[in-house]
Structures are given as structure tokens and as C-alpha cells.
Amino acid sequence: MMARRKFWGWGKVGEGFTDEEMKPFEADYAAVFGVDGFKARPFPTVDEIEIAPPRLAPPASLAPVCTDDKWERLVHTFGRSFHEQVRVMDRDFAGAPDLVARPRDEGDVAALLDWCAEAGAAAIPFGGGSSVVGGVHPDVGGGFKAAVSIDMGAMDQVLEIDRASRAARIQAGVYGPHLEDQLRPHGLTLRYYPQSFEYSTLGGWIATRGAGHYATMLTHIDDMTESVRAVTPAGVHDSFRLPGSGAGPSPDRLFLGSEGALGIITEAWMRLQDRPGFRAGHAVEFARFMDGVEAVRAIAQAGLYPANLRLLDHNEVRWSGAGDGSAAVLVLGFESADHALDAWMARALECCRDHGGRLPEQAGGGGGSAAARWRDAFIRGGHMREMLTARAIIRETFETAITWDRFDDFHREVAGAAERALEEATGRPGIVACRFTHVYPDGPAPYFTFIGLGEQGRLSAQYDLVKNAVSDAIIEAGGTITHHHAVGRDHMPWYERQRSEIFAAALRGAKAALDPAGIMNPGVLLPAR
Amino acid sequence: MMARRKFWGWGKVGEGFTDEEMKPFEADYAAVFGVDGFKARPFPTVDEIEIAPPRLAPPASLAPVCTDDKWERLVHTFGRSFHEQVRVMDRDFAGAPDLVARPRDEGDVAALLDWCAEAGAAAIPFGGGSSVVGGVHPDVGGGFKAAVSIDMGAMDQVLEIDRASRAARIQAGVYGPHLEDQLRPHGLTLRYYPQSFEYSTLGGWIATRGAGHYATMLTHIDDMTESVRAVTPAGVHDSFRLPGSGAGPSPDRLFLGSEGALGIITEAWMRLQDRPGFRAGHAVEFARFMDGVEAVRAIAQAGLYPANLRLLDHNEVRWSGAGDGSAAVLVLGFESADHALDAWMARALECCRDHGGRLPEQAGGGGGSAAARWRDAFIRGGHMREMLTARAIIRETFETAITWDRFDDFHREVAGAAERALEEATGRPGIVACRFTHVYPDGPAPYFTFIGLGEQGRLSAQYDLVKNAVSDAIIEAGGTITHHHAVGRDHMPWYERQRSEIFAAALRGAKAALDPAGIMNPGVLLPAR
């Protein structure tokens, strides 16, 4: 029997850190915060949680794909935001979906939406449930009689492979590992590895404009998407499968980032890569973070397109376990299925040296041991939050993008806001770290981590104080409220400041046409009815 | 005094081919068609043309930016489609705009749209007037009291340069050469050279999702656009200037390809390039076109991103003057502002040799003399149509994109349809040529030229027969009706087959919100009210 998904944390029952494995981390945090240790609140059991009985029952035709099983309803109540994790620990599952549906095909999806519209129920698309922005939590306001979480996990097949064009038609509910398993025999890969890879889906990546493995060029899922198919309450959308087009505004780009508010993405033709056989990697140290920034800018503007160009500041190095934090580290990597990468790497290293970069270790493959350590921590990162939250350690992230000309001031203002808010919220200094997850010729996507010692019972309020301060600082300095985590419900106040009133009106017009009853993921992108 | 724009052809009065210069071309066409020569109809003079008096007068506040000057109204009557050129020769300027407006700033644009909405006039945005799809012709149906052509040419300044991010804030009405003149002192370039470069504008490129110089990666203007500012009848849209974002559907992508149907683009932050100092080029011959196709696919999928990857089939080589047509030719070029390109070119040439490519001439720079000849013909191409149409020679183009897996069949079907229709339309075999203007990892953008001997008085009908046949063939085979020429009024029937009903509904919803009176370029993207 397959292990079930946890309703209290990342992944499946049995996965993640043990209390024993947490001990070195606890010791580290305890030393920094000057405390003796941490008491972990226990995770909830299913019996400890009370949820209301479902407010509706499916029609007979849809009964086979719907369930009101309590565990399933709990699994589909939350994504993985900090607030949600705190509510998990508080055993507060108010807002649990009344039913969980698991459509087998597009006909089921259409029937479910028809029924939801008729029944006055909100329809909440659910991929892997990895949203950290409240994108899958059925907090839909008072305008609906019920909420149905529509889990796309049963639609998980690669339906067609086009080897010549390196593309595949793929059902939206497929998880990362299962997708790669299906592509591997063809020598192909999507080469898209967000941190949520194990527990997120193609449809979720597209709906949220996620970003994956590559640090340059192939960043967002947008550019890997050849065409999108979606079921809306008004009918099925499909677009021609094309390598490029200039026929009106791109229909795919309307669904990319639609976050379930216009319909449910059911399948897509995706652009793939040959599996890389050539690799070159280095970890380059910079005494000063801002020198590393200049090196990264030079590489990003050189037309070299490294697969990895991940600059970690001193705190990020220290707190990700990649090194001791005495220097900033640039994880630099090239890969290709076609050719050796000597010329590419040689020029990129020149750019590093021009700005004071040092190569402490010469290693091929993944870019040296600092890079390897960083990657290991990254991959297990999904499991860390539930352990830290249980210990009242606030370790959270926020991410954005900004042009190079403003980065210096931006970094100072945003990091400064985070530091001040952390101290105000927790009564003691916290830690703020920064790395670049993605880099463009015209600017980086900085990703911030903040760490503070919270207090049980006040965690959400403490987190809010920091999150609100940094979000205000980001918007005031002209950054985006999200580079790849999406808007969800949590980012709405800042998204509304970022988005023009005119674009909001256009989106309302489009939604009114596609979702006239307003049942699709209400409260996301636009206010719930 | 500056020369005025021609109302009967490409560019300014005094530019273009003389009758004397046409003689070798005439001899060539005469030999192929087996005729003695050609009689050229004279171009119209301004006095020969009758247009109705303007049906409205501007309010006093807008009088300084409006004119009913006859020459100006004639210049703004047509773009440069074949039909329009035939109507020029027929002295048929029905549908001329009642007035031409030339706003000085965003306030003028907003005032003009307010006034048009109030007066029941259609507002037709006009950039360089280079549309070959009926995008600027005020054929707006019976629902409007008048039509005002809004020429953006007075808003032509680079307003701000960000050297660090290599970006600039640019007014939408700037023509290609004037834009590059303003960027050059900063060592920057947009590196966007459509064939219309001299007489097209930034706003037009964005509104039509044009495609420029680069054959790979930086193809469409879409990816060069950092943010867009536009005036709609409902107000001003602006988007944050960002290197990347995941905050909801991209607002810029709604305006990219909007073709004036949602509002008028007034300025944009554009991503620029450093001016390249390193270049490597070759012209590679292939005995068989399809071998060249395979070589191009290999290069496109190798991650090398050449600036030029233009495959010309035998007929294209022959009829563009690039060579004698005994072989297909691949114009292959790399360029960089950062590094020497030996490794890149070496690997690309390996891909060519793997598929039977031969290097007849070893030349650096522009890629050999075949490439240079091709480029010269390309640059003067805009001036050729008016000369050929006057001689009843139909030489027209259509363009599309398709994935690699379908290219072979697609090429056969589309080229076959063109050949059959040409013979049916003109009573004798014509010439059909194909080249790739842009190439993607998942497919090429084939560009077809067809040449036939037409007949004065029947030219439009003859052209329609071919254009309809090839457009049907393209859509039936799954290609896009346009890769970079846009939809305009001419492509509407096929665009409507390509576009899903759901996306049409979304677009209608967005337009109703932004342009409630439906005055913006009526009949483009959506039927006129």
C-alpha cells in the first residue's frame, strides 16, 4: 500500500527529518539565538482535528471521482505556506474542502465544473499542493455554498512524444519524478526542477508561472510551454502547437499564471531537452557579495547562458550548509547534450576573476563540494519547515526580481526592512540571507531567507510583521511581489499595487467571459464574488 | 525640406528603384514567363485621386495635432499589402481616414481617444504604415461616423537609458534608424531589424509581435520587451519594469500582439544588446533542401543560438539573387559583444557537414558573398513591390511556423497548394520559394515567396486565389496563420480558425473592459461592432 500524503507537512508519511536528525540543526539555532534548546510541538493526529461535515454531496454520475474521506479533506485543506503550517500545528483546519474530486479525464473535469457552477460551489484546482502563497486553500469568502478541491493527480500520463521537435503532450496532473520517468526512455527531459519537484505538477507549474532548475534562459515554465489545453466553465480551450507565432496576443500566456482562476489546465505540449552528457561546474568565492553581483551581471550579459549561476551571500552560504560563511559563493555550471563546454566555462571564469572571484576548489560535475552541499540542503528543504515551525523557529523565504541598476539600493532596503521587522517581531536580531535563484541579462531574481526565534501562539503575527514589511519594501522599490512563487491569496494586496487598474479590468473581463459564475479558485488574482 | 512619405509605395518620394534599374529584373522575369517585356502602369498623382471630404472636425483643443491635408490622408489610407498596392494603382482610396492626428504626448493620445469615443469615430493607430495584412487601413464597417488615423511618429524619443541593465525607455513612435541613432552613443542596440526597419516603429513592432534580425532566441519583439505603457479608452496601463516575474498572467503579453485593438502603446522599456564586436559567418551549400533542414534542426537543438540561421531553398537562392539556384544555401552567422566565436562556429559547421553541407567560400563577417547578396536584396525588398505590381508581376510572401515533426508534409502541402493555385490563377506555372526566417528548437518559421505573371484588372482576384489556398493549407496542416506579419484585417478568417472560441471570448471580455465603445482599430482581432 502506498504511503499517504501527510496533511501536516511536506511529502508522504514516513518522509522527512527525524527528531534525531534535527539535533545538529537545533544546536546550531540554539547557539545563534542564545537559548538552551527547543521544545517541539507534536504534529496533529487525524483524530485531534475537527472539521465540519461536507455541505454537499456529488451527483451519482460524479460520485466515483469524489470523496469526503477526512484524511483526504485534510490533505487538501492547505498548501505549504507559513501561515498554513501554523494552522496545522494549531489543529485549525477550518476551510477544509467539503469534497475532494479526482477527475480521470477531461470529461470528468468539465462535469465537475458544471456541477460546481450549478451547486454554487467554489472549485479549487489542486496539483501537488505545494503552494506557499495560499493558492489551494479554499478560503473563498461567504459567497459559496461549499468548496470542492479538484486534485488532478489521476491525469498523469505523457500522451505523445515528438522526438524530432523534442516535445511531448503531457497531462497536467503529473508530478515531477513521474514525468521524468516517462521521458527518460526517450532520452528526453523537461529539465525543470523547482524545489517542490517531488510534490508539484505540470499543471501547477504552468498555472503559477513557476521557475525551475536553470538559472538563465530556461527559467520560467512559460518558455517551455508550446501549447496549453484547459477546461473552463465556458468550455474547452486549446491552442495550436507552435514553435513561435505572432497571431494576436498569445493565448498560452493568458493561462500561464492564471492560478486556477480561469479554468483548469488539463494538458500541455511541452518543449523538452536532450539529456545532458557534458557538464562543467565551479564554485567561485567572492570576499564581497557585491563583487559577486558584478561578476554575475557580466556573465548574464555575455550570452553564455549557464545552467547554474546561483550567487549565495555569506549568510546564505552559512545557513544553507554550503560553507562557513566567510565568503559569498557563486555556483556556476554549464551543461549540454551537444558539445564540450570549455570555451563557455573559460569565459565565465574570466568574468569572475575580473571581479575578484577565487576558485577555492577545482572540481568538475556539480560545481565542487560547496555546490553539492548546497544542493543537498535545497532538495531536503521542503521537509525542514514543518520541523522548524514545530520548534517556533521562523525560517521563511521571499523572492522577487529587479533590474540591475536598482539592485544595490533594492537589496539594502529590502534586507534592511527584513532585519528591522525581524527584530521588532521577535525581540532579538534575526538572520537575513540572499541568493540569486535566476539571473537575466537585465536583472537578477533575488531570493531572501529570514530566520528568527518565534514564540508559540504568536508565530503567525510575528511572521506577518516581517512579511508585510518586506512586501511593502519590495513594491515600493519597484520589484515584483513574486518571481516564481505566484500570487495566491497571500500576495493579493501587493499584487494589486503592482498590477495596473487597466490590466485588472482586462482580467476581470476575461474571467467574466470564461467563468461567469466566478467559481474558479475565488479570491485568487481577483477578489472573490 | 524633408521628403514626404509616398502614398503609392514604400518609403519617401525619390527613394526606390528607377525604371532604368528595373530593366535587368524585367529581363529576368520576361525570360521565365516567356513574354517580351512589361508595361508599367504609372503611379498615381495626388490630383488623380478623389477622396470624400472629412466627416468630422477636431475640437479646438485637438486642432493643433490634427490635419485633413489630402496627401497626409492618402499616406495614412493604406499599409503595404498586395491588395492595398493594387488599390493604389487603381486610384481607389475609398476608406481614407477623415483626419490624421499626430499626438505630441500621452495627454494628446488620451484626449484623441476620448474625443473619438464621444464623436463615434474609429481610432486607427498608425506606426510606420508597413502592415502587409491590412492592419492600418480604416475599413471599419458601417458602425462609425468617421475614422481618425493616429500617427505616433512625433513621439520618437529615447527617454531614459539604463546602461547597467542594458535597457531603455523609448517612445513608441520611433522609427528603426532613429532609434538606433539614439542608442549608438551609449554603445547599445536593440538589434532588431525587420525588413521594414526603416519605416516601422517600436510601437508597431510590439503591437504586431514582430520579429527581427536574429534567427534564434531573440526572434520576436516579445522577449525584448521589459514593460509596456499604453493608453486605452479606459485609462493608462503601465507595468512594472522587471527582468522576470511570476505575478499572474503577464500584462505585457496582453498588449504584445494587441494590434491597436485594446489601446495605443505609448512607450516601452526595451532590453538592449551591447554592440557586437565579434562576428563569424559562413554560407553553407546543400544539394538537397531537406538535408539543410536537418542541419538547421541540429544546430537549433544544440544550444548554440546563432544570430543568423537562414536556410534558403534553391528557388529562394535564385530569386533573391543570392546565387544561381543550383543548391540550397544556409546563411550561418554568430555574433557577440563579449567573446570570440570559434567554438560556436566550429560545432555549427560540424552539424552542417553531418548533413552534407559544403562550404563553397570561406569568408568572415557577413557570411560570404552569397549572404551579402541576399542581404542587399532583402534590404531593398520593400521598394520592389510597387515596381512589380505596376508591371502586373505578382511577387508576394506568406509566412508561418510549424514543429519539426510536421515540417516535411507541411512544406509539401503548402508549397503544392501555392503552385497549384498560382497556375490556376495565372494560367501558367509560377515560382514558389521557401526560406527559414527564424528557427526554434522545436520548429522553423518557413517564409514562402510566390511569383506569378498576373493581369492588370485581375491582380487582386488572382492574388486572392493563391492567398486563400495557401492560408487554408497552412491552417489545415496546423501552422500559424502568421509568425510575424500579424493578423490585421486580411488574416481574420484564418485567425478565427486558429484561435479557440474560449480565447476569443476572453479577448472580447478584455476589450469590452478597455475599449467599451469599440473604437480601437475595429475589425482587427475581433469583428467591428
Side-chain angles (χ1 to χ4, degrees):
Chain A
M1 187 186 147
M2 269 172 49
R4 300 187 94 167
R5 285 288 297 273
K6 295 182 202 171
F7 56 81
W8 63 88
W10 184 245
K12 290 184 181 161
V13 176
E15 292 180 342
F17 292 90
T18 61
D19 285 341
E20 191 59 28
E21 286 174 309
M22 284 303 292
K23 283 189 178 159
F25 297 103
E26 286 180 333
D28 204 6
Y29 287 112
V32 164
F33 290 127
V35 294
D36 292 336
F38 300 92
K39 193 172 169 302
R41 285 183 76 185
F43 294 117
T45 63
V46 71
D47 297 331
E48 286 176 317
I49 300 165
E50 280 178 34
I51 51 174
R55 291 167 293 180
L56 84 176
S61 60
L62 287 169
V65 296
C66 292
T67 180
D68 61 1
D69 173 75
K70 184 176 178 185
W71 186 294
E72 284 296 315
R73 291 176 65 200
L74 297 183
V75 165
H76 291 81
T77 302
F78 293 123
R80 303 262 64 87
S81 77
F82 186 82
H83 280 128
E84 290 172 317
Q85 192 61 39
V86 171
R87 289 185 58 189
V88 163
M89 299 309 291
D90 289 346
R91 281 74 177 151
D92 169 15
F93 281 70
D98 295 272
L99 294 172
V100 175
R102 202 178 288 269
R104 297 156 301 191
D105 55 32
E106 214 170 80
D108 283 348
V109 177
L112 283 163
L113 298 192
D114 285 349
W115 168 57
C116 284
E118 233 169 72
I124 316 292
F126 190 100
S130 65
S131 171
V132 291
V133 294
V136 297
H137 178 57
D139 174 14
V140 296
F144 299 89
K145 293 196 185 129
V148 179
S149 183
I150 302 181
D151 184 318
M152 295 296 289
M155 294 175 65
D156 65 352
Q157 295 300 301
V158 171
L159 300 173
E160 216 172 322
I161 297 255
D162 167 6
R163 194 65 189 76
S165 314
R166 301 195 315 194
R169 183 159 70 92
I170 307 168
Q171 288 186 305
V174 70
Y175 280 47
H178 187 209
L179 169 59
E180 289 295 327
D181 287 346
Q182 294 176 77
L183 298 177
R184 199 172 294 111
H186 304 274
L188 293 168
T189 170
L190 182 59
R191 211 97 196 108
Y192 178 87
Y193 298 110
Q195 194 170 20
S196 60
F197 179 70
E198 279 186 280
Y199 296 105
S200 58
T201 64
L202 174 64
W205 304 335
I206 294 174
T208 60
R209 293 175 76 195
H213 167 82
Y214 278 105
T216 70
M217 198 158 51
L218 289 179
T219 59
H220 280 104
I221 198 79
D222 307 31
D223 292 327
M224 302 168 214
T225 305
E226 201 177 64
S227 70
V228 168
R229 197 172 158 92
V231 176
T232 77
V236 175
H237 164 77
D238 206 0
S239 58
F240 272 33
R241 194 194 148 202
L242 295 168
S245 181
S250 164
D252 297 331
R253 299 278 177 169
L254 179 65
F255 285 93
L256 279 155
S258 58
E259 300 196 18
L262 300 179
I264 297 188
I265 294 160
T266 52
E267 58 184 65
W269 272 96
M270 300 303 295
R271 301 183 176 120
L272 306 173
Q273 305 289 311
D274 291 312
R275 301 187 72 81
F278 299 89
R279 285 194 180 79
H282 280 296
V284 184
E285 288 188 358
F286 292 87
R288 287 181 302 193
F289 177 59
M290 283 301 167
D291 288 343
V293 170
E294 282 305 302
V296 164
R297 180 165 79 89
I299 295 168
Q301 296 184 342
L304 297 167
Y305 310 110
N308 212 340
L309 188 61
R310 212 162 288 248
L311 180 66
L312 320 176
D313 76 2
H314 299 63
N315 277 346
E316 181 69 28
V317 170
R318 161 71 177 85
W319 284 97
S320 67
D324 64 5
S326 61
V329 173
L330 174 61
V331 182
L332 173 63
F334 289 89
E335 60 179 46
S336 172
D338 181 76
H339 49 261
L341 295 154
D342 309 74
W344 284 253
M345 180 55 91
R347 178 59 192 137
L349 289 179
E350 270 178 22
C351 293
C352 291
R353 282 192 213 98
D354 287 349
H355 295 92
R358 300 184 310 263
L359 264 74
E361 37 191 348
Q362 300 279 343
S369 58
R373 285 191 298 271
W374 187 84
R375 196 178 53 232
D376 291 346
F378 179 74
I379 288 170
R380 290 197 88 187
H383 292 294
M384 185 56 85
R385 177 187 287 119
E386 66 214 55
M387 304 308 282
L388 295 183
T389 310
R391 287 157 179 78
I393 298 166
I394 301 171
R395 180 175 175 147
E396 264 301 328
T397 63
F398 59 96
E399 38 86 60
T400 179
I402 191 82
T403 49
W404 292 114
D405 59 322
R406 294 175 289 173
F407 175 70
D408 200 346
D409 290 343
F410 182 83
H411 177 262
R412 194 171 38 248
E413 283 162 31
V414 172
E419 282 164 3
R420 285 190 302 276
L422 258 178
E423 183 154 2
E424 189 187 334
T426 67
R428 71 180 81 203
I431 296 153
V432 176
C434 179
R435 68 177 190 263
F436 290 170
T437 53
H438 304 84
V439 181
Y440 302 87
D442 53 337
Y447 194 102
F448 293 87
T449 299
F450 59 91
I451 307 174
L453 180 61
E455 203 178 311
Q456 298 294 3
R458 289 187 56 224
L459 283 174
S460 264
Q462 290 175 309
Y463 169 80
D464 273 350
L465 213 149
V466 183
K467 177 71 178 174
N468 293 351
V470 298
S471 299
D472 285 347
I474 283 172
I475 292 295
E476 278 153 29
T480 177
I481 192 57
T482 174
H483 173 268
H484 60 270
H485 281 174
V487 176
R489 291 170 177 84
D490 296 355
H491 281 152
M492 278 296 284
W494 298 280
Y495 175 58
E496 289 183 333
R497 286 164 68 183
Q498 174 173 349
R499 175 182 64 184
S500 82
E501 259 315 300
I502 290 298
F503 185 68
L507 202 55
R508 269 195 301 274
K511 183 170 167 92
L514 271 45
D515 176 23
I519 59 165
M520 295 308 310
N521 216 8
V524 168
L525 296 190
L526 294 165
R529 70 182 187 192
Chain B
M1 187 184 144
M2 268 172 48
R4 301 188 92 167
R5 286 286 299 272
K6 296 180 198 172
F7 58 81
W8 63 87
W10 184 246
K12 290 183 179 161
V13 176
E15 292 179 343
F17 293 88
T18 62
D19 284 341
E20 191 61 27
E21 286 174 309
M22 285 302 293
K23 283 187 177 163
F25 297 102
E26 286 180 331
D28 204 5
Y29 287 112
V32 164
F33 291 127
V35 295
D36 293 336
F38 300 92
K39 191 172 172 300
R41 286 182 76 186
F43 294 116
T45 63
V46 72
D47 298 331
E48 285 176 318
I49 299 166
E50 281 179 33
I51 50 175
R55 293 167 291 179
L56 83 177
S61 59
L62 288 169
V65 297
C66 292
T67 179
D68 63 359
D69 173 77
K70 184 176 178 185
W71 186 293
E72 284 296 316
R73 290 177 64 200
L74 297 182
V75 165
H76 291 81
T77 303
F78 293 124
R80 303 263 64 87
S81 78
F82 186 83
H83 280 129
E84 291 172 317
Q85 192 62 39
V86 171
R87 289 185 58 190
V88 163
M89 299 309 291
D90 289 345
R91 282 71 177 152
D92 169 15
F93 281 69
D98 296 270
L99 294 172
V100 174
R102 202 178 287 269
R104 299 157 298 191
D105 54 31
E106 215 170 80
D108 282 348
V109 177
L112 283 163
L113 297 192
D114 285 349
W115 168 57
C116 284
E118 231 170 74
I124 316 292
F126 189 100
S130 65
S131 172
V132 291
V133 293
V136 298
H137 179 57
D139 175 14
V140 296
F144 299 90
K145 291 194 186 133
V148 179
S149 183
I150 302 183
D151 184 318
M152 295 296 290
M155 294 174 66
D156 65 351
Q157 295 300 302
V158 172
L159 300 174
E160 215 172 322
I161 297 254
D162 166 8
R163 193 65 189 75
S165 314
R166 301 194 315 194
R169 183 159 70 92
I170 308 167
Q171 288 187 306
V174 70
Y175 281 46
H178 187 210
L179 169 59
E180 290 294 329
D181 287 346
Q182 294 177 77
L183 297 177
R184 198 172 296 109
H186 304 274
L188 293 168
T189 169
L190 182 59
R191 212 99 196 105
Y192 179 86
Y193 298 110
Q195 193 170 21
S196 60
F197 179 71
E198 278 186 282
Y199 296 105
S200 58
T201 63
L202 174 64
W205 303 335
I206 293 174
T208 60
R209 293 177 74 194
H213 167 83
Y214 277 105
T216 69
M217 200 158 50
L218 289 179
T219 58
H220 280 104
I221 197 81
D222 307 31
D223 292 327
M224 301 168 214
T225 304
E226 202 177 65
S227 71
V228 168
R229 197 174 158 91
V231 175
T232 76
V236 176
H237 164 77
D238 205 1
S239 59
F240 272 33
R241 194 194 148 202
L242 296 168
S245 182
S250 163
D252 297 330
R253 299 278 177 169
L254 179 66
F255 285 93
L256 279 155
S258 58
E259 300 196 19
L262 300 179
I264 297 188
I265 294 161
T266 53
E267 59 184 65
W269 271 97
M270 300 303 294
R271 301 185 176 117
L272 306 172
Q273 305 290 311
D274 290 312
R275 301 186 73 80
F278 300 89
R279 286 195 180 77
H282 280 294
V284 184
E285 288 189 359
F286 292 87
R288 288 181 303 191
F289 177 59
M290 284 299 168
D291 288 343
V293 170
E294 282 306 302
V296 164
R297 179 165 78 88
I299 295 168
Q301 296 184 343
L304 296 167
Y305 310 110
N308 212 340
L309 188 62
R310 212 163 287 251
L311 180 67
L312 320 175
D313 76 2
H314 300 63
N315 276 347
E316 181 70 29
V317 170
R318 161 72 176 84
W319 283 97
S320 66
D324 64 6
S326 61
V329 172
L330 174 61
V331 182
L332 173 64
F334 288 89
E335 59 179 45
S336 171
D338 181 76
H339 48 261
L341 295 153
D342 309 74
W344 283 254
M345 179 55 93
R347 177 60 193 138
L349 288 178
E350 269 179 20
C351 293
C352 291
R353 283 191 213 100
D354 287 348
H355 296 92
R358 300 183 310 264
L359 264 75
E361 37 192 346
Q362 299 280 344
S369 58
R373 285 192 298 272
W374 187 84
R375 197 178 50 232
D376 291 347
F378 178 74
I379 287 169
R380 289 197 89 187
H383 291 294
M384 185 55 86
R385 176 188 287 119
E386 66 213 55
M387 302 309 281
L388 297 182
T389 309
R391 287 156 179 80
I393 298 166
I394 301 171
R395 180 175 176 149
E396 264 301 329
T397 64
F398 59 96
E399 38 87 58
T400 179
I402 191 81
T403 49
W404 292 113
D405 59 320
R406 295 174 288 174
F407 175 70
D408 199 345
D409 290 344
F410 182 85
H411 177 262
R412 194 171 41 247
E413 284 162 30
V414 172
E419 282 164 3
R420 286 190 302 276
L422 259 177
E423 183 153 5
E424 190 189 333
T426 67
R428 71 180 81 203
I431 296 153
V432 176
C434 179
R435 68 176 190 263
F436 290 169
T437 54
H438 303 83
V439 182
Y440 302 88
D442 54 336
Y447 194 102
F448 293 87
T449 299
F450 59 91
I451 308 174
L453 181 61
E455 204 177 310
Q456 299 292 6
R458 288 188 57 226
L459 283 175
S460 264
Q462 290 175 309
Y463 168 80
D464 273 349
L465 212 148
V466 183
K467 177 71 180 174
N468 294 349
V470 298
S471 299
D472 286 346
I474 283 172
I475 292 294
E476 278 154 29
T480 178
I481 191 58
T482 175
H483 173 267
H484 60 269
H485 281 174
V487 176
R489 291 170 178 82
D490 296 355
H491 281 152
M492 277 297 283
W494 297 280
Y495 174 59
E496 288 182 334
R497 286 165 66 183
Q498 174 174 345
R499 176 181 63 182
S500 82
E501 260 314 301
I502 291 297
F503 185 69
L507 202 55
R508 270 194 302 274
K511 184 171 167 91
L514 270 47
D515 176 24
I519 59 165
M520 294 308 309
N521 216 6
V524 168
L525 296 191
L526 293 166
R529 70 183 189 193

